[in-house]
Amino acid sequence: MSAIRLLVLGAVKQHGRAHGYQVRNDLEYWGAHEWSNAKPGSIYHALKQMAKQGLLVADEIAPSTAGGPPRVEYEITDAGREEFLRLLREALSTYDQQMDVLSAAVGFIVDLPRAEAVELLRARVRGLDEWRAAVTDYYTPEGGPGQLGHIGEIMHLWVHSADSGREWTLGLIERIEGGAYVFAGEGEPFVGVLAEGQENPFA
């Protein structure tokens, strides 16, 4: 899975209606240009592609003040919302997601009901446990990586990744179950987007 689809759909969804520069500005505000493939070219390409796929609706609203082509604003469609939720659920529940995809999903986790978010994260923990068990079928961490020569360092890395991923996920579950953050249906959510004209301190 590519993080860019989830990020762009989520950014448009949060605004309700947004042009490409707003989406780009939001993703830079979140630092996504540092930890994902959300660069200007990929953002505009994703917007156009998802409009062609029916996930977004594109409207030309006004000529550019800089003299370029008309500015295009995008709105998410019902199909786009379904795709956004599918990507979000998959990213949260799958144990072996790339870091950029998992990071994007955590950024939108509050778009789900609290109980569902916990259920998806518990599925991630089960996946991590199964992966660790598969590795330790032929590698005994207690024996140290040297038992398999330098190749043992690979297994050592996998076990360490499974353990740290499990610890982080269980911590997040504990915070969510303890009442942290405002989830879907619970009230006013945290606003993580810039208002029109608001300066981006991270751009």
Side-chain angles (χ1 to χ4, degrees), residues 120-138:
L120 292 167
L121 291 168
R122 288 202 185 283
R124 181 173 195 271
V125 171
R126 287 192 297 274
L128 286 164
D129 288 345
E130 288 166 11
W131 177 45
R132 189 186 196 284
V135 173
T136 55
D137 274 349
Y138 51 90

Side-chain angles (χ1 to χ4, degrees), residues 49-111:
Q49 281 297 109
M50 290 193 285
K52 284 181 188 170
Q53 294 164 355
L55 305 177
L56 299 171
V57 173
D59 290 314
E60 291 186 359
I61 55 138
S64 166
T65 52
R71 189 165 79 174
V72 178
E73 288 196 340
Y74 296 89
E75 286 183 72
I76 195 165
T77 63
D78 288 343
R81 280 188 187 82
E82 284 178 25
E83 176 69 355
F84 168 75
L85 290 171
R86 185 190 70 76
L87 293 171
L88 178 57
R89 288 170 174 136
E90 181 183 332
L92 290 171
S93 62
T94 308
Y95 78 90
D96 58 350
Q97 285 297 353
Q98 295 292 326
M99 184 60 78
D100 61 340
V101 175
L102 180 59
S103 299
V106 172
F108 295 118
I109 194 170
V110 295
D111 284 38

